Amino acid sequence: MVLGTTSGAGKSWLTTALCRYYSNQGLKVAPFKAQNMSNNARVVPGPVGVMGEIGSAQYFQALAARAEPEVRMNPLLLKPEADTHSQVVLMGQVSAELTAMPWRGRSEKVWPQIAAALDALRAENDVVVIEGAGSPAEINLHASDIVNMRVARHANARCLLVTDIDRGGAFAHLYGTWALLPEDERALIYGFVLNKFRGDASLLAPAPQMLQDLTGVPTVATIPMHWRHGLPEEDGVFDDRSTAAGAVHTTVAVVAYPRISNLDEFQPLKNVPGVRLLWARSPADLGGLKPTDWVVLPGSKSTAADLAWLRGQGLDQAIAHHAGQGGTVLGVCGGLQMLGEALIDTAGIDGNAPGLGLLPLVTTFEVAKTVQRTQAQFGAVQGAWAALAGVPVTGYEIHHGQTAQHPAMAAKGDVAREVIRGIAWQNPAGNVLGVYLHGLFEDPAVMKALFGAHAPTMEAVFDGLADGVARHFESDVLDSLVAQCDAE
């Protein structure tokens, strides 16, 4: 099990790396995270063939493990809709009952299904690599914990505790986390991992030995800072330090509204030479864009609220100006809905709002949620997106709204070009494209059509991560953890 002293310490990528490492040893491997809080989700098979949602991190961990992603790998997913409210997804399906239930009251209700999912994966695999959440030393949450040490105790897991040394205070974080755990839980901590180190590792002495003298736990790895490991960050965060190599020929400005979702799908663009991704939170961030540069409206967990925020920042005018100058615009899922004329919500799902008016479409929200994998083919795409014409594409859909041509506008001759039936539309000028399909840039055919080159595959990324942990962990540590489990 991979635990962290804080969020962002490196749990997700280390879990992914270990999934591929153990798979490379010829073992049957599965990932597991009891509870994930993220609006980055993927569509995977659930019980009796029904498709469901899990966190994107567990989806990629499953691919790294060479396993079919499925809902047992992340039985509980919390999708934030406001600062104090999340949609609760249990075993892949939205639960209105759990969504309405207080946080602490939810734990005992869901624990039996979490434990059953973990036990089933353990029975079916040689190794299960478990990811924790946040910190296991959140003492205010310890009594209702269902994702950290309760899971570790249930599985008698060998735990690695990872910390972000680049933040400073790493040894205090490791010691403090260990010290706040009850004695029986401390016994499950088998090694400390220093992540994101920059410099000469020999200069860390004598701190690792001093920490071991205090805790009895060795520091088993010092992993260097690596900006371009190629794996999506769990929360979809990217920055200029991770820009792909080469002179920049295309800037992709992603509008960063508060309830943004599924940002991980843009990770492949970070790996394309000459492409720069940036956040857009104000009109100034869109200033200076060329018509060939992109403005992207990504997915949203609360489309009407994020649209109101966008207008409050003045970004609506900046986006309209870019589109009016022939600039390239892409809307994905919630972003597609924003590009239309109106959002209509009679079911109380998301909210009513006027759209940006860049596509003559109208979206109606429905109680039923579309959760499915989709294979399609682009039709006669024109203008800035013409390279996609005829390109087959595979992706996934997660949305409440259903979108169609605005009837009154159609009567006046203002008709959107439907380039994938029920899924994708573009304006007559061809520079604005809206799609319901997530995962466009994870499709090799799309990447080749748009950029004429292939981004590194995720398989190459997974193998690179596995090679990295093999180099930077102390000799035989990872193999010995599995051997100890087998012995018991």
Side-chain angles (χ1 to χ4, degrees):
M1 184 170 185
V2 179
L3 302 166
T5 57
T6 62
S7 295
K11 296 184 293 293
S12 292
W13 85 261
L14 181 54
T15 300
T16 307
L18 294 178
C19 283
R20 178 49 59 99
Y21 174 85
Y22 288 122
S23 177
N24 284 347
Q25 311 311 304
L27 299 169
K28 186 179 180 184
V29 184
F32 181 82
K33 184 167 184 173
Q35 174 181 283
N36 200 348
M37 178 177 282
S38 177
N39 276 332
N40 293 326
R42 296 294 170 123
V43 176
V44 300
V48 296
V50 177
M51 303 304 286
E53 299 177 65
I54 63 171
S56 291
Q58 283 63 63
Y59 173 85
F60 285 109
Q61 288 161 5
L63 297 184
R66 299 185 175 92
E68 174 70 19
E70 45 130 322
V71 297
R72 292 182 301 174
M73 296 170 177
N74 177 207
L76 192 65
L77 175 63
L78 309 180
K79 304 186 77 173
E81 296 178 316
D83 290 343
T84 58
H85 177 77
S86 294
Q87 183 185 71
V88 179
V89 179
L90 178 64
M91 294 301 290
Q93 304 302 312
V94 175
S95 171
E97 176 190 1
L98 293 174
T99 297
M101 188 176 293
W103 179 287
R104 285 183 168 85
R106 188 186 298 151
S107 298
E108 292 308 313
K109 186 82 172 177
V110 300
W111 174 252
Q113 293 190 65
I114 289 173
L118 175 56
D119 290 344
L121 290 174
R122 292 172 64 200
E124 296 167 16
N125 292 276
D126 300 317
V127 180
V128 176
V129 186
I130 306 170
E131 181 186 342
S135 163
E138 302 288 359
I139 54 178
N140 58 313
L141 301 176
H142 191 271
S144 56
D145 170 45
I146 54 171
V147 66
N148 285 310
M149 299 314 295
R150 186 172 185 176
V151 173
R153 294 196 309 270
H154 181 82
N156 193 28
R158 272 63 184 156
C159 298
L160 299 171
L161 181 60
V162 58
T163 192
D164 178 356
I165 195 170
D166 192 54
R167 293 186 179 187
F171 294 106
H173 285 162
L174 291 169
Y175 179 76
T177 302
W178 175 89
L180 284 172
L181 296 176
E183 188 170 346
D184 63 324
E185 294 178 0
R186 293 179 190 172
L188 298 176
I189 308 296
Y190 276 69
F192 296 139
V193 176
L194 299 171
N195 189 29
K196 304 181 186 179
F197 180 70
R198 293 190 277 191
D200 181 355
S202 67
L203 298 178
L204 294 171
Q209 184 59 53
M210 294 171 67
L211 186 62
Q212 185 171 351
D213 293 343
L214 289 169
T215 64
V217 179
T219 297
V220 295
T222 300
I223 300 173
M225 178 68 77
H226 188 22
W227 294 116
R228 297 178 181 173
H229 52 63
L231 189 71
E233 300 292 342
E234 183 171 12
D235 296 320
V237 177
F238 52 78
D239 56 45
D240 289 343
R241 289 171 293 189
S242 58
T243 300
V248 173
H249 57 69
T250 303
T251 294
V252 178
V254 180
V255 179
Y257 19 77
R259 300 300 165 200
I260 197 167
S261 67
N262 292 80
L263 276 184
D264 54 296
E265 65 181 305
F266 301 112
Q267 168 66 37
L269 295 178
K270 293 166 59 177
N271 302 329
V272 177
V275 173
R276 175 179 178 241
L277 270 69
L278 61 83
W279 296 108
R281 295 186 174 93
S282 71
D285 295 325
L286 303 184
L289 292 183
K290 306 184 302 294
T292 53
D293 293 328
W294 300 7
V295 172
V296 177
L297 280 69
S300 168
K301 193 63 186 69
S302 184
T303 305
D306 278 346
L307 185 53
W309 173 88
L310 185 150
R311 284 196 166 97
Q313 306 304 308
L315 278 162
D316 56 334
Q317 298 178 40
I319 295 167
H321 176 77
H322 182 69
Q325 299 296 311
T328 307
V329 178
L330 174 67
V332 180
C333 197
L336 156 66
Q337 296 170 349
M338 294 181 191
L339 290 174
E341 289 293 324
L343 307 176
I344 299 175
D345 184 10
T346 59
I349 301 299
D350 193 285
N352 299 291
L356 297 176
L358 296 180
L359 289 173
L361 304 172
V362 61
T363 295
T364 302
F365 290 107
E366 299 176 353
V367 174
K369 189 176 186 180
T370 299
V371 179
Q372 63 188 25
R373 292 177 176 174
T374 301
Q375 291 184 322
Q377 184 170 343
F378 281 100
V381 187
Q382 299 180 14
W385 299 98
L388 294 174
V391 174
V393 60
T394 300
Y396 59 101
E397 297 178 61
I398 306 175
H399 55 92
H400 277 284
Q402 299 298 321
T403 298
Q405 173 69 47
H406 192 293
M409 298 182 73
K412 297 179 180 180
D414 190 357
V415 179
R417 183 179 296 111
E418 192 173 33
V419 292
I420 301 178
R421 184 175 177 81
I423 293 176
W425 299 261
Q426 68 173 158
N427 64 340
N431 61 312
V432 179
L433 174 68
V435 299
Y436 263 125
L437 202 62
H438 291 287
L440 281 179
F441 306 113
E442 295 167 357
D443 189 299
V446 170
M447 293 297 283
K448 184 176 182 181
L450 290 174
F451 298 104
H454 293 288
T457 66
M458 292 309 298
E459 283 296 301
V461 170
F462 298 146
D463 284 332
L465 294 175
D467 291 344
V469 297
R471 287 195 307 272
H472 297 295
F473 270 78
E474 295 294 322
S475 177
D476 299 328
V477 166
L478 298 178
D479 295 339
S480 69
L481 294 177
V482 176
Q484 289 174 21
C485 292
D486 289 343
E488 296 185 5

